[in-house]
Amino acid sequence: MSSENSQTKWGQFIPLAIVFFFWGFVAASNDILIPVFKKAFDLSQGESQLVSLAFYIAYTVGSIIYMLVSVLIKEDLVNKIGYKNGLSLGLSISALGTLLFYPAANTHSFPLMLTGLFIVALGFSLQQTVANPLAIALGPITTGSQRLTMAGGINNLGTTIGPLIVSFAIFGTNANGTTSMSIESVKIPYLILGLAFLTVAILLKFSSLPDKPKLIDEMENEGKPTKKTALHYSQLVLGMIAIFLYVGVEVSTASNLPAYMETKLGFSLQDIAPYISLYWASLMIGRWTGAVEAFTNDMSLQKILRFIAPYLAFAVFLAVNAIAKHDLTPFYIYGLVILVLIAADIASKGNPARMLLIFSTLGIIALTIGMTTSGMVSVYAITSVGLFCSTLWPCIFTLAVSGLGKHTSQGSSFLIMMIMGGGIVSWFQGFVSESIGIQNSYIVGVLCFAYLVFYAWKVSGILKSHGIDFDKKVSGGH
């Protein structure tokens, strides 16, 4: 591969990163909408969870539509319309969804609200299909997973800020939300969000982003017989199961934590919020750390940044919670847990398969400690799962689409379909907890991580047989 692809193209990467921010902003804001809708529409706990279901299932529906359209036009949709047009179209679909919040709020219609959220996520499905492989392609393959990690870190900035802004828009300055709350107050933030979607769609259309980037390891496939579809590549099929279980353990660990802290530790609901915030901030801490290699090739600077980046992200979490007037005292000790993350990141040496193996093993250890201890030790152990989940998405994604060549965007679409694991595994863990208790139900997460350990081991051999070795740090990875 030519030397022009030996470093990250920042001018193209930054506009792309805004799209990642949007996903985090909206997904985490759903956590605020669930209790708001529950109260406003007088819903049961199960009915209020339809917010998550409508959002996550849209990714699967979007991927199926994408594949059907590709079959009908006898060509991969993104390959036909181009990556820039794909992103702009996805953002425009999401903008349409936000418009539905206006009539839904005026008519007090919960189904219309769900339809709006569903359409927003439908747009996200197309955006993710395009944006993930594009982030990997904007520079050398050897730092592809690090670039995706960095984009994930920006996504988590959205998850940290989104709930605060939406909460402020709905409840005003009263952090406890005891003021009179009207469902109509959700109209303005979502209309502004829709305007932001359209603005970025137009900016991306005229940006310098490549429309047909050179995709991962296309050169690896030159001179080799290409397979008919992405599903003929075992690294992708096993990777689809990995994405399903990874998103599952990431979402279910957080969504079952409030129930554990309430029933076992006697926390009140408003006191749990900062710990949920810490969980999502842990993903940001890990991603900022994992992204260091995409910033610079200077090894000594990388070593320094590996220590600065996580604590900078931790400082953002502390600042956000200070603004929200939460007591920060219980969180300072978490600074020591971050040292485990830094050590694991250094040990992985930037190899996505090794990183997946180490971080999934640490996830098993963290959940085991959470299940076998009590009090705050168990809470910090469960929360630290966020640190160890942080870099798994880019690792799995990079490994699963490596060597797919012209089937990359199709493979990407199959992976995005598997995001539904977030809804299904969460529900399954809740169901299991009814028979073995909420603390023991984290065995579901342990099993998810166990598969990820297996995938990390298995995929290394598969890719090496295709001539792809992530330990060879040459320009372009070839």
Side-chain angles (χ1 to χ4, degrees), residues 12 36 114 117 142 171 179 194 208 272 304 324 336 352 412 430 434-435:
Q12 297 172 357
V36 168
L114 290 181
L117 265 180
T142 50
F171 299 122
T179 51
S208 62
I272 291 169
I304 298 164
L336 294 174
S412 175
E434 290 170 18
S435 51

Side-chain angles (χ1 to χ4, degrees), residues 42 63 83 134 147 166 230 247 262 279 304 316 361 363 366-367 370 372 378 386 446 465 468 474:
D42 193 26
S63 296
Y83 275 57
L134 190 54
R147 258 188 310 286
V166 172
V247 179
E262 266 187 295
Y279 178 82
I304 298 164
V316 169
T361 303
L367 283 180
T372 54
S378 65
V446 171
S465 70
I468 303 166
V474 290

